[in-house]
Amino acid sequence: MASGPNDGKFLALSRYDGWSMNIRSAKVDQLVQRLARLTGEDVETALERAIEERLSRVAPPAPADRKAALDSFFERVSRMPVLDARPADEIVGYDGYGLPS
């Protein structure tokens, strides 16, 4: 058996593409056991929720948040003054058939 900080222990966390994920860290094991004890959850649930909470702080916004951000952006843009009142086709230079004028 190995000796050192891991003492040969590992924590099987989940399945990933058919393989179990194993973390060989005594510190991680201690932390997840403590978290599970404090929350009254099983180890897997405590770890899953901890990871989800961390991801919510560091991950890009979820699609719903992205939609809200885009809606806010378009709302701000729609309040901007119109600098050229001509239709877009006239500004770009296309006629009613979509050909350059």
Side-chain angles (χ1 to χ4, degrees), residues 38-50:
L38 291 170
T39 61
E41 300 165 333
D42 61 79
V43 169
E44 187 173 338
T45 301
L47 191 56
E48 179 181 344
R49 289 187 178 168

Side-chain angles (χ1 to χ4, degrees), residues 10-15 20-24 29 43-44 47:
F10 65 92
L11 176 64
L13 299 176
S14 65
R15 310 261 324 146
S20 288
M21 178 188 294
N22 297 314
I23 297 180
R24 294 180 180 266
D29 185 55
V43 169
E44 187 173 338
L47 191 56

Side-chain angles (χ1 to χ4, degrees), residues 1-11 23-29:
M1 181 165 280
S3 63
N6 297 333
D7 292 330
K9 292 182 182 180
F10 65 92
L11 176 64
I23 297 180
R24 294 180 180 266
S25 167
K27 182 175 182 178
V28 171
D29 185 55

Side-chain angles (χ1 to χ4, degrees), residues 42-63:
D42 61 79
V43 169
E44 187 173 338
T45 301
L47 191 56
E48 179 181 344
R49 289 187 178 168
I51 292 169
E52 286 173 345
E53 288 176 19
R54 178 77 187 271
L55 283 172
S56 74
R57 292 191 304 269
V58 299

